[in-house]
Structures are given as C-alpha cells and as structure tokens.
Amino acid sequence: MTSEAIQARLKQIVKPYVNNQQNFENLTSESNFINDLEINSANLVDIVLDVEDEFDIRIENDDMEKMMDVEATVGVIQKKLTTK
Amino acid sequence: MIGNDIVDLAKAKQESGIFRPRYLEKICSTEEINLILSAAEPIRCFWRIWTMKESAYKAVQRQFNLKPAFNPFAFACLFQDSEFGTVDFRVHQLSTKTIKTDDYVYSEIIDNEIKQQFFGASSDFLLMLKNELNLQSLPEFSKTKQGLPILNLADKTLSVSKTHHGRFQAFQY
C-alpha cells in the first residue's frame, strides 16, 4: 500500500479525536497529533488500537512510542504491512 | 519538577474505551492491571494510573530535555495510599499526589520545592498571576523548543505545567 493511501485511511481514523479542525483539514505528513491536531494524549491509545483493527496488524511498544505524528505512524504501518 | 494531568471522567467515558481489548495492555504493566481489576472503582483507578504516568512524563521531559515519545509503559506506578504514590522512570523515582472526585481525577508531581496549583480557565489563571505578581500586563503563554508551556513575565520566564480535559483545566507552577 502506498504511503498516500495509508495516510488517507489514517486521516479517517484520527478524525473523531481531533480538536483542531483547521489543522485537520490541512493535514500533512508532518502534522503532530498532540501539538497540531490537539488530540488528547488519552486518545493516542484509541488511535493505536483503531490502526491495529483497520490494518489488521499488531503494534508493540517500541513502535507505539514513535506514533506522535502522521509520518512516523504511516512508517510504522507500512513496516508492519510489509512484514505481515 | 512540575507535571500535572487531569481527566474529565464524563468526557473520558464518552471517548476512551478502557475496557476494549488490548487497551490496558498498551499502557499498563501486569501489576498495574491487577491493581485496576481488583480496585473498588476500576475506572477511577485506571485514570489515577494514567494521570500519574502523564504527570511524570511531563516532568521528566521538561527536566531532562527528552524528545516527545508515547511510551506510557516506561512509567511504572505504585500506590502508597489512596492519595500518594510513586512513578519509576528509568533510574528516577517521582512522587505524586492524586485527587479523585466524582467528576475528575487529577495528579501532580510533588517534590521538596513548594509548587502552587490553580484550577480554572486560562484567562482566570493569567489574571490571577498578573494581580499576584503585580504585572503591568497579562502574561502570555509560549512554548519551549520541546513544546512545553512557559509564561513570559516582564523580566523572566515561569515554567508552568498545564492540563485541560473536557470541563476541567489546571495549572501547576
């Protein structure tokens, strides 16, 4: 799956947790979940679990640690999909 | 050290499915999960652990200039009583104090330095500081390079830990 396709699906996953709609509409690979999208940190786990369900993958702590922005998260998903 | 975190229980109930499969395992050790499942009020017990971890994360990030990371597992919580506890992170041990009400759970880092708290809106907090410190104008929030909040006062900066969730907002400084 291309990183663009993953990013498009990720955008739908984070949507319900976003508190800054303007930054969400202008989402880029550099968008940070907490600083830009103003997602509450308590919802980062929900996003990780939604990602696991959506892509049918399992994410370990080492990878979860990096999932603070769109680019890193897309990278983790892509890596998991290729080793599936 | 400063670090604090608040959870609005009504909002958390709507947004976070803490009993959905694998949720607790992503955040808590086996010992912490046992604490939660054997607690009289598992949900508030979970949010106590969460806010302890978040407070400790904010404190060590500021103190040791750490890069942001989402690693709740690296923070190990122990309860001393219903209010006080400790969080272990690497070789460091931090002490915490937690307030639990029907509406929210709030934790903050405590150490030898006396810190102050303010519960309320940001504008009220800034106005209170302006009066307390006899400032000419309202202080303004800005962020450190790591994105941590500081206040610019006339001749110095003041480190402030702030937390906002749902209906509740709190500051430690």
Side-chain angles (χ1 to χ4, degrees):
Chain A
M1 204 182 299
T2 64
S3 53
E4 288 78 16
I6 295 174
Q7 184 170 319
R9 281 166 80 175
L10 178 63
K11 190 172 178 182
Q12 291 310 306
I13 291 174
V14 302
K15 194 177 178 184
Y17 307 109
V18 165
N19 287 307
N20 187 321
Q21 289 305 327
Q22 201 184 345
N23 284 348
F24 176 71
E25 277 151 33
N26 303 316
L27 185 119
T28 69
S29 64
E30 279 154 33
S31 299
N32 184 288
F33 292 148
I34 291 176
N35 296 338
D36 300 323
L37 303 182
E38 296 176 24
I39 292 171
N40 199 279
S41 55
N43 289 129
L44 289 183
V45 185
D46 295 290
I47 291 174
V48 172
L49 292 175
D50 291 347
V51 164
E52 288 188 343
D53 291 341
E54 169 77 15
F55 295 95
D56 192 26
I57 52 176
R58 287 291 174 269
I59 295 162
E60 292 89 35
N61 286 314
D62 293 356
D63 284 322
M64 188 169 85
E65 199 171 302
K66 301 173 204 146
M67 294 171 63
M68 304 285 288
D69 59 44
V70 170
E71 189 174 24
T73 305
V74 168
V76 168
I77 296 168
Q78 206 151 32
K79 189 180 84 178
K80 288 285 163 191
L81 287 176
T82 52
T83 56
K84 216 162 100 172
Chain B
M1 279 181 144
I2 50 169
N4 67 351
D5 196 58
I6 199 161
V7 166
D8 178 334
L9 292 171
K11 186 176 168 72
K13 192 178 174 185
Q14 263 175 8
E15 287 185 350
S16 296
I18 71 165
F19 292 119
R20 77 188 265 197
R22 314 193 303 281
Y23 189 98
L24 292 178
E25 287 83 351
K26 289 263 184 271
I27 298 171
C28 300
S29 66
T30 315
E31 291 81 8
E32 289 164 352
I33 292 175
N34 288 338
L35 276 176
I36 294 163
L37 299 180
S38 62
E41 292 169 319
I43 294 174
R44 272 200 278 183
C45 182
F46 168 74
W47 291 115
R48 177 183 180 186
I49 288 179
W50 172 265
T51 55
M52 284 170 68
K53 285 177 189 245
E54 279 282 303
S55 302
Y57 169 76
K58 290 177 184 175
V60 296
Q61 205 199 358
R62 196 185 285 267
Q63 185 81 8
F64 304 118
N65 214 1
L66 303 180
K67 268 205 307 196
F70 182 54
N71 54 353
F73 221 81
F75 297 83
C77 298
L78 268 181
F79 298 162
Q80 279 157 8
D81 56 31
S82 62
E83 195 179 4
F84 294 97
T86 56
V87 183
D88 286 330
F89 174 74
R90 297 183 187 162
V91 298
H92 311 285
Q93 184 166 73
L94 291 81
S95 296
T96 59
K97 183 181 172 182
T98 303
I99 303 168
K100 287 179 282 180
T101 74
D102 287 341
D103 298 316
Y104 66 83
V105 175
Y106 172 78
S107 292
E108 65 183 15
I109 298 300
I110 48 172
D111 60 14
N112 298 327
E113 292 173 59
I114 306 292
K115 298 292 180 190
Q116 314 214 54
Q117 303 76 26
F118 181 87
F119 286 81
S122 194
S123 53
D124 294 336
F125 172 64
L126 296 175
L127 190 62
M128 181 278 296
L129 275 184
K130 176 176 179 273
N131 294 335
E132 192 175 272
L133 302 173
N134 260 322
L135 303 172
Q136 298 290 324
S137 57
L138 277 184
E140 277 179 35
F141 271 113
S142 61
K143 284 178 176 176
T144 66
K145 258 190 245 158
Q146 309 152 277
L148 295 167
I150 49 171
L151 272 180
N152 296 313
L153 307 181
D155 51 348
K156 57 173 185 169
T157 60
L158 177 70
S159 296
V160 180
S161 181
K162 57 175 178 174
T163 175
H164 182 195
H165 191 234
R167 296 164 290 167
F168 303 107
Q169 211 166 350
F171 303 82
Q172 187 191 26
Y173 61 104

